[in-house]
């Protein structure tokens, strides 16, 4: 896995804020995207990676190329492009968050140097040392299906409640 980190501070932004490149911060919510900007190519980090907001340990999957605001932020890239599927990346997001979120804090933020000595547990194929990428993809697909099923149940309850209120009028 390759690491990359850059710094672009909000105070230094003089480019249009009506662009199409995600400007990431370490803020939780909205997949760490503060706004979309137009920015020079040399500021852009390649997407399809796991992004870590270093001071806050916000961990997200970034599908698109992006700009980041702080040198404490990291982007993690699989060396082998076969493993860069969004599902595998999303599994890895959960694994990184689980493994490292209690270790780092604002006072002791993650860094490129520190993360090199960290480990993240991932599933392996039985009787081998090969990572089980197939399992990771199936696991994320199952979570997606469960999430959709729960959303449908929620909307069904909302509809029943609305119908009940209308019928009482």
């Amino acid at each position: 896995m390759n690491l990359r980190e850059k710094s672009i501070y909000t105070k230094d932004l003089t480019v249009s804020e009506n662009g199409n490149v995600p400007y990431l911060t370490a803020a939780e919510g909205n997949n760490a995207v503060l706004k979309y900007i137009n920015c020079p190519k040399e500021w852009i980090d390649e997407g399809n990676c796991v992004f870590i907001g270093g001071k806050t340990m916000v961990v997200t999957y970034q599908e698109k190329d992006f700009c980041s605001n702080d040198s404490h932020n990291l982007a993690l890239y699989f060396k082998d492009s076969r493993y860069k599927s969004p599902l595998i990346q999303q599994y890895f997001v959960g694994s990184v968050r689980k493994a490292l979120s209690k270790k780092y804090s604002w006072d002791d933020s993650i860094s490129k140097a520190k993360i090199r000595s960290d480990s993240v547990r991932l599933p392996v194929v039985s009787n081998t040392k090969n990572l089980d990428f197939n399992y990771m993809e199936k696991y994320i697909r199952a979570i997606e299906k469960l999430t959709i099923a729960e959303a449908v149940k929620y909307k069904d309850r909302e509809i029943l409640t609305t119908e009940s209120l209308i019928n009482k009028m």
Side-chain angles (χ1 to χ4, degrees):
M1 177 145 298
N2 291 331
L3 291 165
R4 190 181 315 175
E5 59 183 320
K6 291 182 181 179
S7 271
I8 302 162
Y9 299 101
T10 306
K11 67 179 177 63
D12 296 331
L13 285 177
T14 56
V15 293
S16 168
E17 294 186 13
N18 297 325
N20 58 2
V21 177
Y23 178 67
L24 307 183
T25 67
E28 197 164 20
N30 201 27
N31 205 39
V33 177
L34 178 66
K35 56 186 156 188
Y36 289 83
I37 64 172
N38 288 319
C39 60
K41 288 182 181 182
E42 63 269 14
W43 289 10
I44 296 176
D45 277 305
E46 183 182 341
N48 199 20
C49 68
V50 173
F51 173 81
I52 301 174
K55 291 180 181 174
T56 59
M57 277 308 296
V58 169
V59 184
T60 61
Y61 165 64
Q62 294 301 323
E63 182 178 10
K64 298 179 179 181
D65 293 352
F66 62 91
C67 294
S68 173
N69 75 321
D70 193 334
S71 63
H72 292 279
N73 296 340
L74 302 172
L76 306 178
Y77 299 89
F78 280 103
K79 290 179 182 178
D80 191 327
S81 62
R82 292 178 295 173
Y83 309 128
K84 287 187 169 187
S85 81
L87 296 174
I88 291 170
Q89 298 280 11
Q90 291 168 4
Y91 188 95
F92 194 61
V93 163
S95 299
V96 168
R97 186 179 296 132
K98 177 81 171 163
L100 304 179
S101 64
K102 288 187 174 38
K103 182 176 181 178
Y104 295 106
S105 65
W106 188 269
D107 295 338
D108 183 24
S109 63
I110 196 168
S111 69
K112 188 174 180 178
K114 289 179 186 177
I115 197 172
R116 290 187 188 281
S117 64
D118 289 324
S119 61
V120 175
R121 298 183 88 171
L122 297 170
V124 294
V125 177
S126 299
N127 301 321
T128 72
K129 292 184 179 181
N130 299 326
L131 292 176
D132 194 342
F133 293 103
N134 188 40
Y135 171 83
M136 292 181 220
E137 288 182 326
K138 285 182 181 179
Y139 185 87
I140 295 300
R141 278 193 191 101
I143 289 174
E144 287 175 339
K145 287 178 183 176
L146 289 171
T147 302
I148 291 167
E150 287 302 313
V152 169
K153 287 180 189 176
Y154 172 78
K155 285 311 275 178
D156 286 346
R157 287 191 305 269
E158 290 283 310
I159 291 169
L160 287 174
T161 301
T162 303
E163 288 174 347
S164 171
L165 290 171
I166 290 170
N167 290 336
K168 287 182 181 180
M169 296 180 145

